[in-house]
Amino acid sequence: MEAGQPAYRGQQLFEALYRQRVEAVDQITTLPNSFRSELTKNYAAGLPQTQKRFVSVDGTVRYLIGFADGQSVETVWMPEGDNGEQGDGSEAGEEEAAGGPREAKGGRRRATVCVSSQAGCAVNCQFCMTALLGLLRNLSAGEIVGQILRVLQEQKVSPESERINLVFMGQGEPFLNYENFMKAVRLLVAGVGIPESRMTVSTAGIVPRIRDFGGEQVRPKLAISLNASNDATRDQVMPINRKWNLATLLTAARQFPLRPRERLTFEYVLLNGVNDSEQNAREVVALVRGLNAKVNLIALNPGPEIPFSAPEEERVHTFQQSLIQAGIPTFIRRPRGRDIYAACGQLKRAEVVQLSA
Ligand code: SAH
């Protein structure tokens, strides 16, 4: 180790920071005093700070989490899991069979944390509020993990007390901060004790990184933001499609090595009159046919400056039925925390009237 300390000091630091979640280096009592003061002088270790919290009527909490340099991101706490719609790979109803939605197997409660990988985002999807921030910066692996630890601490839970699912679906494109994202995954598995089987990462379709990701020893499940059924529409709503089009993306999806019992998720944001017709549904079927995949439909979560609207509920159901009848497992993602701008595509540090403490 660099600081002229024995190698096991690194393990002690790791244990303290990630397992015991100490707030400051001088609380790491396993380290000798001299080393502690040395560290305190040089490193601002500890968790990122909660700057704001917004509580939804549905129990969802949106946290604004601030880092040492003043940059901030949002992290969303969703109690009671998500009944499968959040893209964590579990099926609706699976948990009910195991003792009701509030109880996971083994009697533990469950919850999902939606994690940011970058401050802002460079991908510029036309329906997403995060795009309006532009890319502010990448988060370090420590900052990605730190967000989660801060939220667990705020909620007074641990991976031992509650079954925690993680979805890397907050601000940013995880596959454009690939190394730090993967490092965070490994820290979370080894240090925090959250298994990768409870993690899902969503990508806008960064094809070379999808291939890299398939080769990782330890990795979350994969969700791909499809969001359009043909290149003409996808070029419009997700400009990244001009770099990696649907054929390239679907080839990567077909080549992706799935583990036993694993399947891919495709997310499809329904935009009224843009990608929600019967014809669009048929095109989606043609794209994903033969893949071991499910589709999660998300009715657009509206926001200021977003030039689209959400389809009527009936249209969402019709779209779902078309896919199901073609043999594609299709779920409708329940919006969480829309009233506080915490739902998919709404993370832009928006101010709302605080509803409750
Ligand atoms: N950058 C990654 C991670 C974000 S995940 C990705 O694009 O996959 C967030 C999910 O919410 C994505 O599937 C995205 O397409 C979807 N989304 C973005 N804006 C939305 C909005 N306004 N309403 C509903 N879903 C939206």
Side-chain angles (χ1 to χ4, degrees):
M1 188 175 167
E2 267 176 44
Q5 294 284 333
Y8 63 83
R9 292 267 184 263
Q11 187 61 35
Q12 286 175 325
L13 254 176
F14 182 84
E15 277 288 316
L17 290 172
Y18 292 109
R19 275 224 191 266
Q20 300 162 22
R21 292 175 210 131
V22 298
E23 284 285 330
V25 171
D26 60 11
Q27 291 168 17
I28 308 177
T29 50
T30 50
L31 300 177
N33 268 321
S34 55
F35 185 43
R36 267 189 261 169
S37 49
E38 182 72 17
L39 279 172
T40 316
K41 261 189 275 157
N42 295 307
Y43 302 96
L47 297 179
Q49 300 301 317
T50 306
Q51 292 182 344
K52 282 185 184 150
R53 68 197 281 277
F54 303 96
V55 183
S56 166
V57 289
D58 69 16
T60 299
V61 186
R62 175 168 64 101
Y63 290 95
L64 187 66
I65 304 281
F67 302 110
D69 70 343
Q71 199 52 266
S72 59
V73 296
E74 285 148 311
T75 314
V76 181
W77 168 261
M78 292 172 278
E80 298 179 35
D82 47 36
N83 295 331
E85 306 97 327
Q86 193 57 46
D88 70 352
S90 64
E91 298 303 324
E94 187 182 72
E95 300 304 340
E96 272 86 327
R102 209 50 201 138
E103 297 257 311
K105 291 178 191 98
R108 286 187 302 161
R109 295 185 311 164
R110 62 193 294 257
T112 300
V113 180
C114 179
V115 185
S116 292
S117 54
Q118 300 179 307
C121 188
V123 178
N124 202 22
C125 302
Q126 298 297 296
F127 43 79
C128 180
M129 284 172 69
T130 308
L132 300 169
L133 291 174
L135 177 64
L136 300 167
R137 72 167 169 83
N138 279 335
L139 300 191
S140 69
E143 288 170 334
I144 295 172
V145 175
Q147 278 169 77
I148 299 159
L149 298 183
R150 172 56 74 198
V151 168
L152 295 182
Q153 194 215 40
E154 290 273 352
Q155 290 291 332
K156 302 184 176 61
V157 299
S158 72
E160 290 83 41
S161 70
E162 188 134 350
R163 196 185 112 161
I164 307 292
N165 294 309
L166 298 181
V167 293
F168 295 91
M169 301 187 183
Q171 282 187 17
E173 168 50 52
F175 283 7
L176 291 179
N177 185 20
Y178 186 79
E179 295 302 330
N180 291 344
F181 155 69
M182 280 308 304
K183 207 163 157 189
V185 165
R186 291 187 287 266
L187 282 169
L188 287 160
V189 173
V192 183
I194 302 177
E196 71 270 27
S197 56
R198 306 240 171 87
M199 302 178 189
T200 302
V201 62
S202 178
T203 180
I206 313 299
V207 168
R209 294 294 87 74
I210 293 178
R211 296 205 195 96
D212 294 344
F213 188 64
E216 296 286 351
Q217 284 286 313
V218 173
R219 64 160 177 82
K221 289 176 285 194
L222 179 64
I224 296 175
S225 295
L226 189 62
N227 295 344
S229 62
N230 54 63
D231 280 320
T233 311
R234 201 163 188 269
D235 281 349
Q236 293 304 314
V237 299
M238 295 181 75
I240 191 104
N241 195 65
R242 295 174 204 160
K243 191 153 186 181
W244 294 290
N245 66 14
L246 281 170
T248 316
L249 181 61
L250 270 298
T251 300
R254 280 176 208 287
Q255 292 169 347
F256 191 77
L258 293 168
R259 296 167 291 210
R261 288 188 303 281
E262 185 183 12
R263 58 184 178 179
L264 283 175
T265 300
F266 286 99
E267 295 141 302
Y268 194 91
V269 181
L270 287 161
L271 309 168
N272 187 30
V274 175
N275 66 358
D276 62 344
S277 69
E278 281 290 306
Q279 170 66 17
N280 294 134
R282 283 192 293 273
E283 289 173 352
V284 169
V285 170
L287 287 173
V288 307
R289 176 160 276 151
L291 270 162
N292 186 6
K294 65 167 174 161
V295 173
N296 278 349
L297 299 175
I298 318 171
L300 177 85
N301 293 307
E305 299 179 67
I306 298 299
F308 300 103
S309 61
E312 300 285 329
E313 209 175 307
E314 200 191 312
R315 213 166 156 86
V316 177
H317 281 112
T318 306
F319 201 93
Q320 179 189 28
Q321 284 312 313
S322 305
L323 268 56
I324 288 176
Q325 276 159 22
I328 296 165
T330 307
F331 303 88
I332 298 171
R333 189 181 289 178
R334 178 164 56 115
R336 302 291 303 268
R338 254 192 197 172
D339 55 333
I340 54 157
Y341 288 110
C344 301
Q346 292 190 313
L347 300 183
K348 198 213 158 201
R349 306 177 185 165
E351 292 295 328
V352 285
V353 179
Q354 190 136 3
L355 295 167
S356 56

